[in-house]
Amino acid sequence: MSVTQESQATAESVVDELDWPATRLRVQNLSTAFRVDGAVRQVVSGVSFDLLPGQCVAIVGESGSGKSVTARSIVGLAGRNAIVEADVLEIHHEDVRTFTPRQWRRIRGRDLGFVLQDALVSLDPLRPVGTEIAEALRLHGWGDRAARKQRVLDLLERVGVPFPALRARQRPDQLSGGLRQRALIASAIALDPDIVIADEPTTALDVTVQSQVLAQLERMKARGASVILISHDLSVVARLADHILVMRGGEVLEQGSIASVLGAPQHEYTKALIAAVPSEATRGTPLSPSSAPFPEVRQRDAAASATQDAARDVPVIEATDLVKRFHTADGTVTRAVDGVSFTLAAGETLGIVGESGSGKSTTARLALGLESLDGGDVRLLGHAWSSLSERKRRSLRPRISVVYQDPLSSFDPRWNVERILLDALRGERFADATARKARVVELLGQVGLSPDVLGRFPLRLSGGQRQRVAIARALAPRPAVIVLDEAVSALDVTIQAQILDLLVALQRESGVAYLFISHDLGVISHLSDRVLVMKDGVVVEEGKPDDIFLRPQHPYTRDLIAAIPEFDPASFAGHQNHSAPAAQEGA
C-alpha cells in the first residue's frame, strides 16, 4: 500500500469514527468575473466539485487558467471588484454566497486554512514568525499567552522546523524559503481547520524541502483534513491528490479520479500537460508540440552537432578549487563554496543540483564574476577572468550572459521590450537604425516572439513571454556561455516545456554552452550532459545524468533522488481513490 493509499485508509477510518458530514465543501457552477475600467471580464466559468473529509482535490492548469481565482472565490477572497456567482457554494452545509466579512472572519483560520505560494510576501516582514502564528490563535480566543506560546512551538515542530524556539523568534527574512513555507503552513493549521487550501505550496522549493511539505499535507489528510491543492506540478499532484480538475481559460476541461485523468486522459490539453513533464526519459525529445516554430534549427542539427562534437574539448569555463566565505552578523564564517572545480565545453550543458544553501547560486555568481573569490580561479575562453578587475573584464563580459528565475525583477519596468534588447546590443556596431532594428527583430524570432511585443512593457507580458525576452537579452551579445539560475522553476509545466525546447534548439543552432542551476531534478536530467551534485558548498558527486539519477553513489545523492515525487501515468491505472462525486464529471 502506497503512502497516499495508507493516508486515505486512515482518513476514511477517522471519518467513520467521528461521523463527520459526508461533504465538507460543495461547489456547483461557480463563476467569477472582475470589473475592470467599467467593463466586466469573465475569468472563471462553471466550476463544480465536492470535497470530502480526508480527501485532496487538485486543480491544475497553466498560468492564467483560473486555478487561484477559483480557490479565492470559494473562501471569499476574490477581491472587491469580483463578481462571484454559484448555484451552490456551501462550507460545512452553510451557504456562504451571502456571507458578510464578519462571518468570513469567523470561519477563516478556524474552519479554513490558506497556504499561499510566496511565504516571504504572505508573512509579516516586521515581526517574528512565532508572533504571527500566535496572532491567529489569539484572534479566535484560543488559550492564554503561555498556552499560545507552547502551541506555536508544537506547530513548528509538527511541520518539521528544526530548533522551533529559535525560529519562532526570527523574522521571515532570516529564514530560508523552505522554513518560511513551513512557518506559513504552521500558521494556516494553527487551529486545526477542517479544510486547507494550498496554492502552489512547493513551487521554487528544493526537492527535499518539497518532500517535507508534502509529507505534512499527507499527515493532515490522514487526520481527516480536506485539502484543495493548486499546482502546476503534476508530480506533486500525483503524490497527494485523489480527485483532479484540469482548467484552462477559466473552464474545467476534464475532471475525475487520479486514475481516469492522469492514467487515461481524454482531453488533448491534459495529454499535453502530461507529455510536458521533463525527466531522464524525455531527454533528446521535444516536450511541447508548440516547439514547431523552430524548423530551421532542426535542419541544422546534423551540422551543428558535428561542430559541437569537435569543440567539446575546448572549455569555455575552467573553474579550479573555488572558495567563497561569508561572514554573518554574529561573527560566524560560512564557506558557501568550498573547493569546487568544473569545466564547461562549447555546446555542453552542465547541471548543478542541490538543496537550498548548497552553494549552487553562489557558484554561478563566481563563474559570472559577480562575487569575489576567497580562493581558486575561473578562466573564461582560456583567458584570465576571476583575477581581473571589472574594468579589465569588460571586453570579455559579452561572452557570458545570465538568465534569472524572475526576469521581471531584472528588467527596468519603465523600458519596453525594444529598449531592453537595444540596451543589450549597445556594444555592437550597426550601419544604421534599420540594421539595429532588424537585429532586435531577429532576436525575438530566435525565441519565438513576434515583433508585436516590441512596444510592450514587462508587466504587460505573460510569464513565458518575459522569460523569452530574458533569453533574447542574454543571446544579444552572442555569448559563448549562458548561466541559467532557476530559469524555469517559476513557470507552469507547459510554458516550462516550451522554454526547455527553445534552449535545446538554440544550443543546437549556435553551440552556446549552458551552466544550468536548478532544484528540479527532472529538468536537470532532461537537459544536462553532465551533472554536479552539491551539498554544503562541496561537490559530492559528478557524472552523466544516467549515472547520477539511475546509479547514484553518494548517500546525499540517493536521498535527493528518493525525494523526487514519482510521475508515471501508466502506474495510475491501479490507483485506489477516495474521489468526490463530481457534479460535472468530464466537463
Side-chain angles (χ1 to χ4, degrees), residues 109-110 129-130 133-138 142-159 164 168 185-193 216 223:
R110 189 195 69 185
V129 295
I133 297 170
E135 180 74 359
L137 298 168
R138 186 189 66 80
W142 192 97
D144 57 21
R145 179 177 294 183
R148 290 194 292 269
K149 183 177 180 179
Q150 184 58 48
R151 173 69 169 167
V152 166
L153 300 181
D154 292 343
L155 285 164
L156 290 173
E157 186 173 8
R158 186 198 297 183
V159 298
I185 292 176
S187 180
I189 66 172
L191 290 153
D192 286 325
Q216 176 57 35
R223 290 195 294 270

Side-chain angles (χ1 to χ4, degrees), residues 227-276:
V227 178
I228 297 177
L229 175 67
I230 314 294
S231 182
H232 65 256
D233 189 331
L234 294 186
S235 300
V236 169
V237 167
R239 171 170 170 176
L240 197 67
D242 306 295
H243 188 87
I244 304 177
L245 286 75
V246 180
M247 293 189 69
R248 188 181 192 187
E251 297 182 349
V252 177
L253 302 181
E254 185 170 3
Q255 71 165 294
S257 68
I258 206 168
S260 63
V261 175
L262 295 186
Q266 300 302 304
H267 199 281
E268 291 303 315
Y269 177 67
T270 310
K271 295 176 184 177
L273 283 180
I274 294 170

Side-chain angles (χ1 to χ4, degrees), residues 360-376:
K360 307 186 302 295
S361 291
T362 303
T363 298
R365 290 180 62 80
L366 292 172
L368 284 161
L370 299 178
E371 293 278 0
S372 60
L373 277 166
D374 293 313

Side-chain angles (χ1 to χ4, degrees), residues 70 180 212 239 249 253 298 374 381 476:
T70 296
R180 286 195 298 265
Q212 293 163 4
R239 171 170 170 176
L253 302 181
R298 294 199 181 95
D374 293 313
L381 297 169

Side-chain angles (χ1 to χ4, degrees), residues 105-113 140 188-193:
R105 286 194 297 271
R106 172 176 58 84
I107 68 170
R108 288 194 201 115
R110 189 195 69 185
D111 300 316
L112 291 169
H140 286 274
I189 66 172
L191 290 153
D192 286 325

Side-chain angles (χ1 to χ4, degrees), residues 92 95 220 247 278 319 360 374 407 435 494 499 563 566:
H92 289 164
D95 188 342
M220 290 161 55
M247 293 189 69
K360 307 186 302 295
D374 293 313
T494 50
I499 297 298
E566 293 184 10

